[in-house]
Amino acid sequence: MSAEERREAILEAARGEFASTGYHGTSTETIAERAGISQPYLFRLFGTKKELFLASVRRCFRETLETFQRAAEGKRGEEALHAMGDAYLGLLTDRSRLMAQMQAYASCDDPEIRAVVREGYGDLVTWTERVSGLAPAELSHFFAKGMLLNVVASMDLLNSDEAWARRLIDGCRADT
Amino acid sequence: MSAEERREAILEAARGEFASTGYHGTSTETIAERAGISQPYLFRLFGTKKELFLASVRRCFRETLETFQRAAEGKRGEEALHAMGDAYLGLLTDRSRLMAQMQAYASCDDPEIRAVVREGYGDLVTWTERVSGLAPAELSHFFAKGMLLNVVASMDLLNSDEAWARRLIDGCRADT
DNA sequence: CTAGGTACTGACTCATCACTTACTTACAGA
DNA sequence: TCTGTAAGTAAGTGATGAGTCAGTACCTAG
């Protein structure tokens, strides 16, 4: 297997593990095992645990952006926005991607991580703004709903019968 | 100092440390040091690291609810909601409380933590709903804005000159 | 003054972790 | 067939962390 393919396999494994136990709570041994390689080889390919985490975060944001781009392909304005919203709801069902994102936000006290998260989220916002042509208030509303859904999904309440959670979710679907 | 006062002091220290390095990334030694006691005594008062974390999360949600209650005192409907929104903006300037909250969401893969977070957030939502009398769509909007601000604040962008971030924040203030 | 409880700690144990070193194997090109 | 390089690992190291144990210091009720 080429080094590039190995890197991809490791990043896939890393996201899964970082998603559930976070940066500090995940051992490089666990990730290597899940990726089917030895732990020293992981260090050969990524240098440090932090570089691996940063690469994982970047990949996560890049995949989300690509999902938005695919969803909006050939569409414009409101129509593009709706397609992106639906596509995002789909992403939420992948708990690994969701929790990895939440771990990234929670790790923002670290300056290096914060810089990567800022860049990833910023790319998402500016691209969406450009394609949809939304004014600030509507743009905020779109991303705000996304974040609320993230948190509700983190608590695993998307398909629960908790009454207050259902009302929050229904309230999200109701408008725009 | 009474055990009860010590518990409070430890919880204060714990929130600060958990906020920046999360559950797994924070050592009980560090918390004990910050609280000015020995590490064994921390275990005497809280049993396990996890119990300490859970107590810290519960306290965090309780304080937020109390802030909402104080802000809304003697007010009703829209007026109460505005007061709560303003009070929440104030809370965001306390980075310790903010990041502790984000760490709690990110730790939701653990069932015990998830249960506590659900309860805390649920209390916040149901109380707000009852006091403001909002319909689901507006209730969602209120909490969605709160979550977006949380994330923007996590990235330390509340007072930055990053253009896209300013537009998001202004967009939040613009409506309701 | 003393018995018992409450606050509090020094000095461990055993496990785990990030990272390294020194090595092996597989294979493509000269 | 020999050589250089890329893919890969077994076996460490030094540090740190959660949790325990066996105590000490102090205060208060009788």
Side-chain angles (χ1 to χ4, degrees):
Chain A
M1 211 186 246
S2 82
E4 206 35 62
E5 291 170 311
R6 278 291 185 217
R7 281 181 69 95
E8 267 307 300
I10 293 170
L11 283 173
E12 188 65 32
R15 194 183 58 196
E17 295 300 325
F18 282 138
S20 34
T21 40
Y23 176 59
H24 294 285
T26 305
S27 78
T28 55
E29 179 71 49
T30 308
I31 296 172
E33 211 170 302
R34 181 158 169 173
I37 56 152
S38 70
Q39 186 250 24
Y41 193 44
L42 181 155
F43 277 87
R44 175 71 156 265
L45 294 180
F46 286 92
T48 61
K49 184 187 182 182
K50 190 153 196 189
E51 276 309 317
L52 173 58
F53 186 76
L54 293 176
S56 169
V57 170
R58 267 189 284 263
R59 198 177 94 118
C60 194
F61 276 113
R62 180 163 25 85
E63 286 177 349
T64 304
L65 180 56
E66 284 166 7
T67 301
F68 275 15
Q69 292 174 334
R70 267 195 304 276
E73 218 160 48
K75 302 190 179 72
R76 289 182 159 257
E78 286 283 314
E79 193 194 3
L81 197 76
H82 258 105
M84 285 159 56
D86 286 347
Y88 193 71
L89 269 176
L91 284 185
L92 282 180
T93 62
D94 178 355
R95 191 156 179 85
S96 165
R97 192 185 264 92
L98 165 71
M99 293 312 288
Q101 201 189 137
M102 296 302 288
Q103 293 287 359
Y105 298 134
S107 306
C108 272
D109 238 51
D110 179 294
E112 289 178 78
I113 299 177
R114 184 166 63 233
V116 169
V117 171
R118 277 187 184 189
E119 198 188 332
Y121 200 78
D123 286 352
L124 231 46
V125 172
T126 50
W127 185 87
T128 302
E129 194 174 17
R130 187 157 48 78
V131 161
S132 70
L134 286 183
E138 281 85 36
L139 188 72
S140 289
H141 197 176
F142 179 75
F143 279 93
K145 280 195 303 187
M147 281 313 311
L148 178 60
L149 288 172
N150 271 358
V151 175
V152 172
S154 296
M155 291 184 254
D156 208 14
L157 287 172
L158 278 193
N159 297 302
S160 81
D161 51 0
E162 196 86 41
W164 61 265
R166 300 220 63 122
R167 286 197 293 276
L168 275 189
I169 298 163
D170 291 346
C172 266
R173 289 189 215 272
D175 56 356
T176 318
Chain B
M1 211 186 247
S2 81
E4 204 37 60
E5 289 169 313
R6 277 293 186 215
R7 283 181 67 98
E8 268 307 300
I10 293 171
L11 283 173
E12 189 65 31
R15 194 183 58 196
E17 295 301 325
F18 282 137
S20 36
T21 41
Y23 176 58
H24 293 286
T26 305
S27 78
T28 54
E29 179 71 47
T30 308
I31 297 172
E33 211 169 302
R34 181 160 171 172
I37 55 150
S38 69
Q39 185 251 23
Y41 193 45
L42 182 155
F43 277 87
R44 176 65 159 266
L45 294 181
F46 287 93
T48 63
K49 186 186 182 182
K50 189 154 198 188
E51 276 309 317
L52 172 58
F53 185 77
L54 293 177
S56 168
V57 170
R58 266 189 286 262
R59 199 178 92 120
C60 193
F61 276 113
R62 181 162 24 87
E63 285 176 350
T64 303
L65 180 56
E66 284 166 5
T67 301
F68 276 13
Q69 291 173 334
R70 266 195 305 274
E73 217 160 49
K75 303 190 177 70
R76 288 183 160 257
E78 286 283 317
E79 193 194 3
L81 197 74
H82 259 104
M84 284 158 56
D86 287 346
Y88 194 70
L89 269 177
L91 284 185
L92 283 181
T93 63
D94 177 355
R95 192 157 178 85
S96 165
R97 193 186 263 92
L98 165 70
M99 293 312 288
Q101 201 189 136
M102 296 303 288
Q103 293 288 358
Y105 298 135
S107 304
C108 271
D109 239 51
D110 180 294
E112 288 177 81
I113 298 177
R114 184 165 62 234
V116 169
V117 172
R118 277 188 186 190
E119 199 187 332
Y121 200 78
D123 286 351
L124 232 44
V125 172
T126 49
W127 185 86
T128 302
E129 195 175 17
R130 188 156 49 77
V131 161
S132 69
L134 286 184
E138 282 84 38
L139 188 72
S140 290
H141 197 174
F142 179 76
F143 279 93
K145 281 196 301 184
M147 282 312 310
L148 178 60
L149 288 173
N150 271 358
V151 175
V152 171
S154 297
M155 292 184 252
D156 209 14
L157 288 172
L158 277 194
N159 296 303
S160 82
D161 50 1
E162 195 87 42
W164 61 264
R166 299 221 63 122
R167 287 197 291 279
L168 274 189
I169 299 164
D170 292 347
C172 264
R173 289 188 215 271
D175 55 358
T176 319

